[in-house]
Amino acid sequence: VASLEQAAGDSVSFLDNRKYLAQFRETTAGACLVKPDFADQAPAGTVALLSDRPYRAYAKLAQAFYPDAVSTGSLHPTAIIAESAALAENVSVGAYAVIGEQVKIGANTRIGAHVVIGDCVEIGANGQIANQVSISHAIIGDKAKIHPGVRIGQDGFGFDMSPEGHLRVPQLGRVVIEDDVEIGANSTIDRGAGPDTVVGQGSRIDNLVQIAHNVKLGPGVVLVSQSGIAGSTE
């Protein structure tokens, strides 16, 4: 799998945006995903693989060549796992991870090194929790992909502001992350003040995003890097 410029005869590439037509005409790729309208401009030696949505087809093809790592079911000897934690079949846990009391983790989920999962957290099946993630006060669905350094479930920013001093208001809600959500590196999601903070199914969150307490994101929401969503936004 390679770009139009770098692809050789044993590589597959794609053309989705017409501004790269010149590169397409000169590519040496063995095959290229392309819309039918541009197929007649494929250079000699390049097989045109026709698709109305070449970029989406390319994503599926690249995933086939480079699938995500799967859980090996291994528990590193340095990991600390509470006796009351319930790990389903084929869960793997990396070095120095800490898994608290009454945690539930679904089948085939991978927990990276130095991850800290607080008491009573629930994580679904087929998830990937990368290194140095911390999770508390949360319920996370199936097929979660959480990148390094993510913080989920910490206190929301709730204070009674006063000249007498800013009095912290206990944050008593949770973070609920529905199925098939991806969260980029070093993003933070605060738990709710009373109602829960909710991230809808299929949402994609980039790196360095802040989601404050009581926020509710619907299904399929996309937040790009350095976005900040203020508390109680829906």
Side-chain angles (χ1 to χ4, degrees), residues 85 122 215:
E122 297 182 15
V215 167

Side-chain angles (χ1 to χ4, degrees), residues 87-215:
L87 277 56
E89 182 180 5
N90 202 41
V91 169
S92 62
V93 181
Y96 300 102
V98 179
I99 298 177
E101 300 289 347
Q102 300 181 50
V103 167
K104 297 179 181 178
I105 301 177
N108 306 311
T109 290
R110 299 171 62 230
I111 307 297
H114 295 273
V115 170
V116 178
I117 300 176
D119 296 347
C120 301
V121 165
E122 297 182 15
I123 300 173
N126 302 304
Q128 300 180 54
I129 314 300
N131 298 339
Q132 296 181 328
V133 169
S134 65
I135 303 172
S136 69
H137 304 84
I139 297 176
I140 299 174
D142 295 338
K143 298 191 294 182
K145 189 168 188 178
I146 300 176
H147 291 271
V150 167
R151 310 296 178 207
I152 296 172
Q154 60 282 336
D155 269 5
F157 193 69
F159 299 89
D160 176 63
M161 308 293 188
S162 168
E164 306 162 47
H166 305 320
L167 184 63
R168 187 175 72 86
V169 177
Q171 304 294 288
L172 306 178
R174 306 167 298 179
V175 175
V176 177
I177 297 175
E178 296 179 354
D179 293 346
D180 188 30
V181 170
E182 183 163 344
I183 303 171
N186 295 318
S187 290
T188 57
I189 305 177
D190 295 346
R191 70 177 182 264
D196 296 329
T197 302
V198 179
V199 177
Q201 179 176 349
S203 292
R204 297 290 182 263
I205 298 168
D206 201 352
N207 303 330
L208 296 168
V209 170
Q210 155 67 2
I211 298 174
H213 63 183
N214 309 337
V215 167

